[in-house]
Amino acid sequence: MVEKHISEWTTEDKKKANLDNVSKYILYMTLDKNMFNKIKTCTTAKEDWVKLTQLCEEITETKHNKLNVSIQKFDNAKMKLGETLKEIDEWFNSIVIEIPALGKTYCNCEIALKVMRILPRE
């Protein structure tokens, strides 16, 4: 597609360009600096939107993968031989704190039961 020189624009072309500029402005005002830097090379609002959609899908997928790993850590948590209660408390708390930040919650009862299962019978 060959672009017209601005002097050759019709009223319809001017309206479309204005809408595109307004759309880009609205998008840019809602983004933080990091996200803006990822889309600033796009030339139209449509390109901006497509790029943002792709970025958000990647972020959602990454968050889902992190959640799965954290849940596996929680489910497979066991006290290792020679490990102190302080060490267990530190790594288990890091898992318990990480999981809600990724979108899943455990009730206090589930966490307490898991702690009881982690500890050796002795």
Side-chain angles (χ1 to χ4, degrees):
M1 184 174 152
V2 178
E3 285 191 34
K4 297 179 195 175
H5 186 270
I6 200 163
S7 62
E8 299 172 347
W9 283 9
T10 64
T11 305
E12 188 65 27
D13 293 332
K14 291 176 185 176
K15 285 180 183 178
K16 287 180 182 178
N18 186 48
L19 283 174
D20 189 65
N21 288 334
V22 169
S23 299
K24 289 188 335 187
Y25 175 78
I26 292 169
L27 283 173
Y28 294 166
M29 291 296 106
T30 60
L31 299 175
D32 62 19
K33 189 175 184 178
N34 184 38
M35 288 299 272
F36 173 75
N37 286 333
K38 292 178 181 181
I39 67 162
K40 69 182 179 184
T41 58
C42 298
T43 56
T44 66
K46 173 76 173 171
E47 288 177 27
D48 289 339
W49 187 256
V50 169
K51 182 77 171 185
L52 284 170
T53 303
Q54 291 169 345
L55 290 169
C56 289
E57 286 173 359
E58 290 171 9
I59 291 168
T60 301
E61 185 176 325
T62 301
K63 185 177 176 182
H64 182 71
N65 290 339
K66 285 180 180 180
L67 177 61
N68 284 338
V69 169
S70 295
I71 290 172
Q72 285 179 338
K73 285 180 188 176
F74 181 85
D75 291 343
N76 298 328
K78 296 275 188 228
M79 182 176 181
K80 296 177 183 110
L81 192 61
E83 205 168 21
T84 66
L85 288 176
K86 184 177 180 180
E87 291 170 333
I88 293 170
D89 182 56
E90 287 174 3
W91 62 256
F92 188 73
N93 277 332
S94 70
I95 295 169
V96 170
I97 290 168
E98 184 177 293
I99 290 175
L102 296 170
K104 179 167 175 55
T105 56
Y106 287 105
C107 69
N108 288 340
C109 180
E110 291 173 302
I111 294 170
L113 286 171
K114 187 62 183 178
V115 169
M116 297 302 282
R117 289 188 195 116
I118 287 173
L119 300 173
R121 290 197 162 165
E122 302 83 41

